[in-house]
PDB file of all heavy atoms in Angstrom:
ATOM      1  N   THR A   1     -19.837 -11.773 -16.528  1.00  0.00           N
ATOM      2  CA  THR A   1     -18.470 -11.966 -17.003  1.00  0.00           C
ATOM      3  C   THR A   1     -18.149 -10.907 -18.050  1.00  0.00           C
ATOM      4  O   THR A   1     -19.035 -10.204 -18.548  1.00  0.00           O
ATOM      5  CB  THR A   1     -18.297 -13.351 -17.630  1.00  0.00           C
ATOM      6  OG1 THR A   1     -19.131 -13.430 -18.804  1.00  0.00           O
ATOM      7  CG2 THR A   1     -18.672 -14.458 -16.658  1.00  0.00           C
ATOM      8  N   ARG A   2     -16.885 -10.804 -18.419  1.00  0.00           N
ATOM      9  CA  ARG A   2     -16.512  -9.864 -19.480  1.00  0.00           C
ATOM     10  C   ARG A   2     -17.111 -10.295 -20.817  1.00  0.00           C
ATOM     11  O   ARG A   2     -17.581  -9.466 -21.590  1.00  0.00           O
ATOM     12  CB  ARG A   2     -14.984  -9.757 -19.578  1.00  0.00           C
ATOM     13  CG  ARG A   2     -14.512  -8.830 -20.700  1.00  0.00           C
ATOM     14  CD  ARG A   2     -13.114  -8.373 -20.494  1.00  0.00           C
ATOM     15  NE  ARG A   2     -13.008  -7.482 -19.343  1.00  0.00           N
ATOM     16  CZ  ARG A   2     -13.300  -6.191 -19.362  1.00  0.00           C
ATOM     17  NH1 ARG A   2     -13.739  -5.616 -20.472  1.00  0.00           N
ATOM     18  NH2 ARG A   2     -13.167  -5.454 -18.282  1.00  0.00           N
ATOM     19  N   ASP A   3     -17.104 -11.597 -21.087  1.00  0.00           N
ATOM     20  CA  ASP A   3     -17.673 -12.080 -22.338  1.00  0.00           C
ATOM     21  C   ASP A   3     -19.161 -11.717 -22.438  1.00  0.00           C
ATOM     22  O   ASP A   3     -19.641 -11.249 -23.469  1.00  0.00           O
ATOM     23  CB  ASP A   3     -17.489 -13.592 -22.450  1.00  0.00           C
ATOM     24  CG  ASP A   3     -18.097 -14.162 -23.715  1.00  0.00           C
ATOM     25  OD1 ASP A   3     -17.635 -13.799 -24.818  1.00  0.00           O
ATOM     26  OD2 ASP A   3     -19.044 -14.973 -23.609  1.00  0.00           O
ATOM     27  N   PHE A   4     -19.896 -11.929 -21.349  1.00  0.00           N
ATOM     28  CA  PHE A   4     -21.307 -11.576 -21.304  1.00  0.00           C
ATOM     29  C   PHE A   4     -21.483 -10.083 -21.579  1.00  0.00           C
ATOM     30  O   PHE A   4     -22.363  -9.672 -22.350  1.00  0.00           O
ATOM     31  CB  PHE A   4     -21.883 -11.944 -19.935  1.00  0.00           C
ATOM     32  CG  PHE A   4     -23.296 -11.486 -19.685  1.00  0.00           C
ATOM     33  CD1 PHE A   4     -24.374 -12.279 -20.072  1.00  0.00           C
ATOM     34  CD2 PHE A   4     -23.558 -10.272 -19.066  1.00  0.00           C
ATOM     35  CE1 PHE A   4     -25.686 -11.855 -19.849  1.00  0.00           C
ATOM     36  CE2 PHE A   4     -24.856  -9.851 -18.826  1.00  0.00           C
ATOM     37  CZ  PHE A   4     -25.924 -10.646 -19.225  1.00  0.00           C
ATOM     38  N   SER A   5     -20.666  -9.265 -20.943  1.00  0.00           N
ATOM     39  CA  SER A   5     -20.772  -7.811 -21.076  1.00  0.00           C
ATOM     40  C   SER A   5     -20.511  -7.366 -22.506  1.00  0.00           C
ATOM     41  O   SER A   5     -21.199  -6.474 -23.031  1.00  0.00           O
ATOM     42  CB  SER A   5     -19.791  -7.132 -20.121  1.00  0.00           C
ATOM     43  OG  SER A   5     -20.034  -7.528 -18.789  1.00  0.00           O
ATOM     44  N   GLU A   6     -19.534  -7.969 -23.149  1.00  0.00           N
ATOM     45  CA  GLU A   6     -19.228  -7.602 -24.532  1.00  0.00           C
ATOM     46  C   GLU A   6     -20.371  -7.991 -25.464  1.00  0.00           C
ATOM     47  O   GLU A   6     -20.704  -7.251 -26.401  1.00  0.00           O
ATOM     48  CB  GLU A   6     -17.917  -8.264 -24.962  1.00  0.00           C
ATOM     49  CG  GLU A   6     -16.705  -7.693 -24.241  1.00  0.00           C
ATOM     50  CD  GLU A   6     -15.424  -8.468 -24.516  1.00  0.00           C
ATOM     51  OE1 GLU A   6     -15.514  -9.558 -25.138  1.00  0.00           O
ATOM     52  OE2 GLU A   6     -14.340  -7.987 -24.126  1.00  0.00           O
ATOM     53  N   ARG A   7     -20.991  -9.139 -25.196  1.00  0.00           N
ATOM     54  CA  ARG A   7     -22.112  -9.565 -26.027  1.00  0.00           C
ATOM     55  C   ARG A   7     -23.333  -8.666 -25.808  1.00  0.00           C
ATOM     56  O   ARG A   7     -24.062  -8.356 -26.750  1.00  0.00           O
ATOM     57  CB  ARG A   7     -22.448 -11.032 -25.745  1.00  0.00           C
ATOM     58  CG  ARG A   7     -21.452 -12.006 -26.380  1.00  0.00           C
ATOM     59  CD  ARG A   7     -21.838 -13.450 -26.204  1.00  0.00           C
ATOM     60  NE  ARG A   7     -21.461 -13.953 -24.878  1.00  0.00           N
ATOM     61  CZ  ARG A   7     -22.289 -14.571 -24.059  1.00  0.00           C
ATOM     62  NH1 ARG A   7     -23.541 -14.771 -24.396  1.00  0.00           N
ATOM     63  NH2 ARG A   7     -21.862 -15.001 -22.890  1.00  0.00           N
ATOM     64  N   VAL A   8     -23.561  -8.241 -24.562  1.00  0.00           N
ATOM     65  CA  VAL A   8     -24.667  -7.328 -24.285  1.00  0.00           C
ATOM     66  C   VAL A   8     -24.432  -5.981 -24.962  1.00  0.00           C
ATOM     67  O   VAL A   8     -25.359  -5.393 -25.540  1.00  0.00           O
ATOM     68  CB  VAL A   8     -24.857  -7.150 -22.765  1.00  0.00           C
ATOM     69  CG1 VAL A   8     -25.782  -5.975 -22.469  1.00  0.00           C
ATOM     70  CG2 VAL A   8     -25.411  -8.426 -22.153  1.00  0.00           C
ATOM     71  N   ASP A   9     -23.201  -5.485 -24.918  1.00  0.00           N
ATOM     72  CA  ASP A   9     -22.892  -4.225 -25.601  1.00  0.00           C
ATOM     73  C   ASP A   9     -23.200  -4.325 -27.091  1.00  0.00           C
ATOM     74  O   ASP A   9     -23.754  -3.395 -27.692  1.00  0.00           O
ATOM     75  CB  ASP A   9     -21.416  -3.862 -25.405  1.00  0.00           C
ATOM     76  CG  ASP A   9     -21.153  -3.130 -24.102  1.00  0.00           C
ATOM     77  OD1 ASP A   9     -22.043  -2.385 -23.662  1.00  0.00           O
ATOM     78  OD2 ASP A   9     -20.058  -3.297 -23.539  1.00  0.00           O
ATOM     79  N   ALA A  10     -22.829  -5.458 -27.681  1.00  0.00           N
ATOM     80  CA  ALA A  10     -23.085  -5.649 -29.111  1.00  0.00           C
ATOM     81  C   ALA A  10     -24.584  -5.729 -29.385  1.00  0.00           C
ATOM     82  O   ALA A  10     -25.086  -5.159 -30.366  1.00  0.00           O
ATOM     83  CB  ALA A  10     -22.379  -6.912 -29.601  1.00  0.00           C
ATOM     84  N   ALA A  11     -25.317  -6.421 -28.511  1.00  0.00           N
ATOM     85  CA  ALA A  11     -26.759  -6.608 -28.715  1.00  0.00           C
ATOM     86  C   ALA A  11     -27.538  -5.313 -28.537  1.00  0.00           C
ATOM     87  O   ALA A  11     -28.490  -5.039 -29.279  1.00  0.00           O
ATOM     88  CB  ALA A  11     -27.275  -7.674 -27.751  1.00  0.00           C
ATOM     89  N   LEU A  12     -27.144  -4.507 -27.547  1.00  0.00           N
ATOM     90  CA  LEU A  12     -27.892  -3.287 -27.230  1.00  0.00           C
ATOM     91  C   LEU A  12     -27.296  -2.036 -27.871  1.00  0.00           C
ATOM     92  O   LEU A  12     -27.865  -0.949 -27.751  1.00  0.00           O
ATOM     93  CB  LEU A  12     -27.967  -3.100 -25.710  1.00  0.00           C
ATOM     94  CG  LEU A  12     -28.681  -4.205 -24.934  1.00  0.00           C
ATOM     95  CD1 LEU A  12     -28.669  -3.893 -23.435  1.00  0.00           C
ATOM     96  CD2 LEU A  12     -30.117  -4.382 -25.427  1.00  0.00           C
ATOM     97  N   GLY A  13     -26.131  -2.197 -28.519  1.00  0.00           N
ATOM     98  CA  GLY A  13     -25.492  -1.039 -29.138  1.00  0.00           C
ATOM     99  C   GLY A  13     -25.092   0.012 -28.132  1.00  0.00           C
ATOM    100  O   GLY A  13     -25.274   1.213 -28.354  1.00  0.00           O
ATOM    101  N   THR A  14     -24.528  -0.437 -27.010  1.00  0.00           N
ATOM    102  CA  THR A  14     -24.237   0.484 -25.906  1.00  0.00           C
ATOM    103  C   THR A  14     -22.780   0.968 -25.876  1.00  0.00           C
ATOM    104  O   THR A  14     -22.307   1.472 -24.855  1.00  0.00           O
ATOM    105  CB  THR A  14     -24.607  -0.179 -24.561  1.00  0.00           C
ATOM    106  OG1 THR A  14     -24.183  -1.545 -24.546  1.00  0.00           O
ATOM    107  CG2 THR A  14     -26.113  -0.146 -24.358  1.00  0.00           C
ATOM    108  N   ASP A  15     -22.072   0.770 -26.984  1.00  0.00           N
ATOM    109  CA  ASP A  15     -20.758   1.403 -27.162  1.00  0.00           C
ATOM    110  C   ASP A  15     -19.787   1.114 -26.017  1.00  0.00           C
ATOM    111  O   ASP A  15     -19.114   2.005 -25.493  1.00  0.00           O
ATOM    112  CB  ASP A  15     -20.927   2.913 -27.325  1.00  0.00           C
ATOM    113  CG  ASP A  15     -19.652   3.603 -27.803  1.00  0.00           C
ATOM    114  OD1 ASP A  15     -18.849   2.948 -28.497  1.00  0.00           O
ATOM    115  OD2 ASP A  15     -19.451   4.784 -27.466  1.00  0.00           O
ATOM    116  N   GLY A  16     -19.720  -0.149 -25.592  1.00  0.00           N
ATOM    117  CA  GLY A  16     -18.760  -0.537 -24.565  1.00  0.00           C
ATOM    118  C   GLY A  16     -19.146  -0.200 -23.141  1.00  0.00           C
ATOM    119  O   GLY A  16     -18.327  -0.337 -22.227  1.00  0.00           O
ATOM    120  N   HIS A  17     -20.370   0.243 -22.931  1.00  0.00           N
ATOM    121  CA  HIS A  17     -20.810   0.657 -21.588  1.00  0.00           C
ATOM    122  C   HIS A  17     -20.642  -0.471 -20.569  1.00  0.00           C
ATOM    123  O   HIS A  17     -20.033  -0.285 -19.500  1.00  0.00           O
ATOM    124  CB  HIS A  17     -22.272   1.094 -21.661  1.00  0.00           C
ATOM    125  CG  HIS A  17     -22.855   1.525 -20.356  1.00  0.00           C
ATOM    126  ND1 HIS A  17     -22.377   2.603 -19.640  1.00  0.00           N
ATOM    127  CD2 HIS A  17     -23.905   1.029 -19.626  1.00  0.00           C
ATOM    128  CE1 HIS A  17     -23.089   2.760 -18.539  1.00  0.00           C
ATOM    129  NE2 HIS A  17     -24.024   1.815 -18.499  1.00  0.00           N
ATOM    130  N   PHE A  18     -21.142  -1.647 -20.893  1.00  0.00           N
ATOM    131  CA  PHE A  18     -21.077  -2.756 -19.942  1.00  0.00           C
ATOM    132  C   PHE A  18     -19.669  -3.361 -19.875  1.00  0.00           C
ATOM    133  O   PHE A  18     -19.265  -3.868 -18.829  1.00  0.00           O
ATOM    134  CB  PHE A  18     -22.122  -3.819 -20.295  1.00  0.00           C
ATOM    135  CG  PHE A  18     -23.529  -3.354 -20.084  1.00  0.00           C
ATOM    136  CD1 PHE A  18     -24.310  -2.939 -21.155  1.00  0.00           C
ATOM    137  CD2 PHE A  18     -24.068  -3.273 -18.810  1.00  0.00           C
ATOM    138  CE1 PHE A  18     -25.601  -2.472 -20.963  1.00  0.00           C
ATOM    139  CE2 PHE A  18     -25.358  -2.801 -18.601  1.00  0.00           C
ATOM    140  CZ  PHE A  18     -26.129  -2.405 -19.671  1.00  0.00           C
ATOM    141  N   SER A  19     -18.936  -3.286 -20.960  1.00  0.00           N
ATOM    142  CA  SER A  19     -17.554  -3.769 -20.944  1.00  0.00           C
ATOM    143  C   SER A  19     -16.687  -2.928 -20.021  1.00  0.00           C
ATOM    144  O   SER A  19     -15.740  -3.422 -19.411  1.00  0.00           O
ATOM    145  CB  SER A  19     -16.970  -3.759 -22.366  1.00  0.00           C
ATOM    146  OG  SER A  19     -17.694  -4.630 -23.206  1.00  0.00           O
ATOM    147  N   ARG A  20     -17.028  -1.634 -19.911  1.00  0.00           N
ATOM    148  CA  ARG A  20     -16.304  -0.778 -18.977  1.00  0.00           C
ATOM    149  C   ARG A  20     -16.768  -1.017 -17.545  1.00  0.00           C
ATOM    150  O   ARG A  20     -15.961  -1.048 -16.612  1.00  0.00           O
ATOM    151  CB  ARG A  20     -16.478   0.692 -19.369  1.00  0.00           C
ATOM    152  CG  ARG A  20     -15.772   1.076 -20.662  1.00  0.00           C
ATOM    153  CD  ARG A  20     -15.812   2.577 -20.893  1.00  0.00           C
ATOM    154  NE  ARG A  20     -17.165   3.056 -21.159  1.00  0.00           N
ATOM    155  CZ  ARG A  20     -17.733   3.094 -22.365  1.00  0.00           C
ATOM    156  NH1 ARG A  20     -17.067   2.659 -23.421  1.00  0.00           N
ATOM    157  NH2 ARG A  20     -18.962   3.573 -22.516  1.00  0.00           N
ATOM    158  N   LEU A  21     -18.049  -1.190 -17.360  1.00  0.00           N
ATOM    159  CA  LEU A  21     -18.577  -1.412 -16.018  1.00  0.00           C
ATOM    160  C   LEU A  21     -18.102  -2.715 -15.394  1.00  0.00           C
ATOM    161  O   LEU A  21     -17.895  -2.800 -14.182  1.00  0.00           O
ATOM    162  CB  LEU A  21     -20.112  -1.422 -16.059  1.00  0.00           C
ATOM    163  CG  LEU A  21     -20.854  -0.100 -16.025  1.00  0.00           C
ATOM    164  CD1 LEU A  21     -22.351  -0.353 -16.043  1.00  0.00           C
ATOM    165  CD2 LEU A  21     -20.472   0.693 -14.783  1.00  0.00           C
ATOM    166  N   VAL A  22     -17.947  -3.749 -16.222  1.00  0.00           N
ATOM    167  CA  VAL A  22     -17.682  -5.075 -15.664  1.00  0.00           C
ATOM    168  C   VAL A  22     -16.342  -5.117 -14.920  1.00  0.00           C
ATOM    169  O   VAL A  22     -16.174  -5.899 -13.978  1.00  0.00           O
ATOM    170  CB  VAL A  22     -17.738  -6.158 -16.765  1.00  0.00           C
ATOM    171  CG1 VAL A  22     -16.487  -6.123 -17.658  1.00  0.00           C
ATOM    172  CG2 VAL A  22     -17.923  -7.542 -16.145  1.00  0.00           C
ATOM    173  N   GLY A  23     -15.392  -4.274 -15.304  1.00  0.00           N
ATOM    174  CA  GLY A  23     -14.124  -4.237 -14.572  1.00  0.00           C
ATOM    175  C   GLY A  23     -14.329  -3.842 -13.124  1.00  0.00           C
ATOM    176  O   GLY A  23     -13.747  -4.435 -12.213  1.00  0.00           O
ATOM    177  N   LEU A  24     -15.179  -2.837 -12.891  1.00  0.00           N
ATOM    178  CA  LEU A  24     -15.490  -2.415 -11.525  1.00  0.00           C
ATOM    179  C   LEU A  24     -16.239  -3.503 -10.774  1.00  0.00           C
ATOM    180  O   LEU A  24     -15.991  -3.748  -9.587  1.00  0.00           O
ATOM    181  CB  LEU A  24     -16.327  -1.135 -11.550  1.00  0.00           C
ATOM    182  CG  LEU A  24     -15.656   0.115 -12.112  1.00  0.00           C
ATOM    183  CD1 LEU A  24     -16.655   1.265 -12.189  1.00  0.00           C
ATOM    184  CD2 LEU A  24     -14.465   0.512 -11.254  1.00  0.00           C
ATOM    185  N   VAL A  25     -17.163  -4.154 -11.472  1.00  0.00           N
ATOM    186  CA  VAL A  25     -17.944  -5.216 -10.841  1.00  0.00           C
ATOM    187  C   VAL A  25     -17.037  -6.354 -10.396  1.00  0.00           C
ATOM    188  O   VAL A  25     -17.117  -6.829  -9.251  1.00  0.00           O
ATOM    189  CB  VAL A  25     -19.025  -5.756 -11.805  1.00  0.00           C
ATOM    190  CG1 VAL A  25     -19.709  -6.982 -11.214  1.00  0.00           C
ATOM    191  CG2 VAL A  25     -20.056  -4.669 -12.098  1.00  0.00           C
ATOM    192  N   LEU A  26     -16.172  -6.808 -11.285  1.00  0.00           N
ATOM    193  CA  LEU A  26     -15.313  -7.945 -10.955  1.00  0.00           C
ATOM    194  C   LEU A  26     -14.296  -7.592  -9.871  1.00  0.00           C
ATOM    195  O   LEU A  26     -13.962  -8.425  -9.039  1.00  0.00           O
ATOM    196  CB  LEU A  26     -14.608  -8.450 -12.215  1.00  0.00           C
ATOM    197  CG  LEU A  26     -15.539  -9.118 -13.238  1.00  0.00           C
ATOM    198  CD1 LEU A  26     -14.793  -9.433 -14.524  1.00  0.00           C
ATOM    199  CD2 LEU A  26     -16.164 -10.381 -12.662  1.00  0.00           C
ATOM    200  N   ARG A  27     -13.827  -6.365  -9.865  1.00  0.00           N
ATOM    201  CA  ARG A  27     -12.902  -5.974  -8.803  1.00  0.00           C
ATOM    202  C   ARG A  27     -13.593  -5.980  -7.445  1.00  0.00           C
ATOM    203  O   ARG A  27     -13.001  -6.316  -6.426  1.00  0.00           O
ATOM    204  CB  ARG A  27     -12.307  -4.597  -9.094  1.00  0.00           C
ATOM    205  CG  ARG A  27     -11.207  -4.205  -8.107  1.00  0.00           C
ATOM    206  CD  ARG A  27     -10.469  -2.970  -8.564  1.00  0.00           C
ATOM    207  NE  ARG A  27      -9.749  -3.220  -9.798  1.00  0.00           N
ATOM    208  CZ  ARG A  27      -9.112  -2.288 -10.505  1.00  0.00           C
ATOM    209  NH1 ARG A  27      -9.122  -1.034 -10.106  1.00  0.00           N
ATOM    210  NH2 ARG A  27      -8.475  -2.593 -11.603  1.00  0.00           N
ATOM    211  N   SER A  28     -14.890  -5.635  -7.438  1.00  0.00           N
ATOM    212  CA  SER A  28     -15.634  -5.622  -6.178  1.00  0.00           C
ATOM    213  C   SER A  28     -15.857  -7.027  -5.633  1.00  0.00           C
ATOM    214  O   SER A  28     -16.185  -7.195  -4.460  1.00  0.00           O
ATOM    215  CB  SER A  28     -16.980  -4.916  -6.362  1.00  0.00           C
ATOM    216  OG  SER A  28     -17.888  -5.700  -7.127  1.00  0.00           O
ATOM    217  N   VAL A  29     -15.701  -8.039  -6.486  1.00  0.00           N
ATOM    218  CA  VAL A  29     -15.864  -9.433  -6.070  1.00  0.00           C
ATOM    219  C   VAL A  29     -14.664  -9.911  -5.257  1.00  0.00           C
ATOM    220  O   VAL A  29     -14.769 -10.821  -4.435  1.00  0.00           O
ATOM    221  CB  VAL A  29     -16.072 -10.333  -7.312  1.00  0.00           C
ATOM    222  CG1 VAL A  29     -15.998 -11.808  -6.955  1.00  0.00           C
ATOM    223  CG2 VAL A  29     -17.411 -10.026  -7.961  1.00  0.00           C
ATOM    224  N   LEU A  30     -13.524  -9.288  -5.480  1.00  0.00           N
ATOM    225  CA  LEU A  30     -12.320  -9.685  -4.753  1.00  0.00           C
ATOM    226  C   LEU A  30     -12.515  -9.489  -3.254  1.00  0.00           C
ATOM    227  O   LEU A  30     -13.299  -8.632  -2.839  1.00  0.00           O
ATOM    228  CB  LEU A  30     -11.126  -8.843  -5.220  1.00  0.00           C
ATOM    229  CG  LEU A  30     -10.696  -9.016  -6.673  1.00  0.00           C
ATOM    230  CD1 LEU A  30      -9.695  -7.930  -7.061  1.00  0.00           C
ATOM    231  CD2 LEU A  30     -10.099 -10.400  -6.914  1.00  0.00           C
ATOM    232  N   PRO A  31     -11.804 -10.271  -2.422  1.00  0.00           N
ATOM    233  CA  PRO A  31     -11.913 -10.064  -0.972  1.00  0.00           C
ATOM    234  C   PRO A  31     -11.634  -8.613  -0.607  1.00  0.00           C
ATOM    235  O   PRO A  31     -10.749  -7.976  -1.193  1.00  0.00           O
ATOM    236  CB  PRO A  31     -10.831 -10.993  -0.412  1.00  0.00           C
ATOM    237  CG  PRO A  31     -10.674 -12.063  -1.446  1.00  0.00           C
ATOM    238  CD  PRO A  31     -10.889 -11.364  -2.768  1.00  0.00           C
ATOM    239  N   THR A  32     -12.387  -8.099   0.344  1.00  0.00           N
ATOM    240  CA  THR A  32     -12.268  -6.687   0.724  1.00  0.00           C
ATOM    241  C   THR A  32     -10.837  -6.327   1.081  1.00  0.00           C
ATOM    242  O   THR A  32     -10.328  -5.258   0.690  1.00  0.00           O
ATOM    243  CB  THR A  32     -13.191  -6.379   1.912  1.00  0.00           C
ATOM    244  OG1 THR A  32     -14.539  -6.720   1.562  1.00  0.00           O
ATOM    245  CG2 THR A  32     -13.126  -4.910   2.275  1.00  0.00           C
ATOM    246  N   TRP A  33     -10.148  -7.220   1.787  1.00  0.00           N
ATOM    247  CA  TRP A  33      -8.788  -6.911   2.218  1.00  0.00           C
ATOM    248  C   TRP A  33      -7.801  -6.926   1.046  1.00  0.00           C
ATOM    249  O   TRP A  33      -6.715  -6.343   1.134  1.00  0.00           O
ATOM    250  CB  TRP A  33      -8.326  -7.897   3.296  1.00  0.00           C
ATOM    251  CG  TRP A  33      -8.407  -9.350   2.910  1.00  0.00           C
ATOM    252  CD1 TRP A  33      -9.431 -10.210   3.169  1.00  0.00           C
ATOM    253  CD2 TRP A  33      -7.421 -10.121   2.205  1.00  0.00           C
ATOM    254  NE1 TRP A  33      -9.166 -11.463   2.670  1.00  0.00           N
ATOM    255  CE2 TRP A  33      -7.937 -11.438   2.078  1.00  0.00           C
ATOM    256  CE3 TRP A  33      -6.160  -9.840   1.686  1.00  0.00           C
ATOM    257  CZ2 TRP A  33      -7.231 -12.463   1.430  1.00  0.00           C
ATOM    258  CZ3 TRP A  33      -5.454 -10.851   1.049  1.00  0.00           C
ATOM    259  CH2 TRP A  33      -5.979 -12.145   0.925  1.00  0.00           C
ATOM    260  N   PHE A  34      -8.180  -7.565  -0.075  1.00  0.00           N
ATOM    261  CA  PHE A  34      -7.281  -7.659  -1.221  1.00  0.00           C
ATOM    262  C   PHE A  34      -7.509  -6.530  -2.226  1.00  0.00           C
ATOM    263  O   PHE A  34      -6.617  -6.210  -3.016  1.00  0.00           O
ATOM    264  CB  PHE A  34      -7.478  -9.004  -1.916  1.00  0.00           C
ATOM    265  CG  PHE A  34      -6.507  -9.266  -3.039  1.00  0.00           C
ATOM    266  CD1 PHE A  34      -5.199  -9.630  -2.776  1.00  0.00           C
ATOM    267  CD2 PHE A  34      -6.899  -9.142  -4.364  1.00  0.00           C
ATOM    268  CE1 PHE A  34      -4.295  -9.863  -3.804  1.00  0.00           C
ATOM    269  CE2 PHE A  34      -6.010  -9.377  -5.400  1.00  0.00           C
ATOM    270  CZ  PHE A  34      -4.704  -9.748  -5.122  1.00  0.00           C
TER     271      PHE A  34
END
């Protein structure tokens, strides 16, 4: 989730890396036709 990603970024000091990635991940979850 986005919340998980933001917490991981804070824990690992990854400067928003996972918060940026999660948008692509969640979009890929949508039905292929959508």
Side-chain angles (χ1 to χ4, degrees):
T1 64
R2 178 160 292 279
D3 178 63
F4 173 87
S5 302
E6 291 172 351
R7 284 185 279 128
V8 167
D9 276 328
L12 298 180
T14 42
D15 192 28
H17 179 62
F18 292 101
S19 298
R20 291 188 293 273
L21 277 181
V22 75
L24 295 175
V25 172
L26 291 173
R27 187 169 295 173
S28 72
V29 170
L30 296 169
T32 303
W33 56 265
F34 185 76

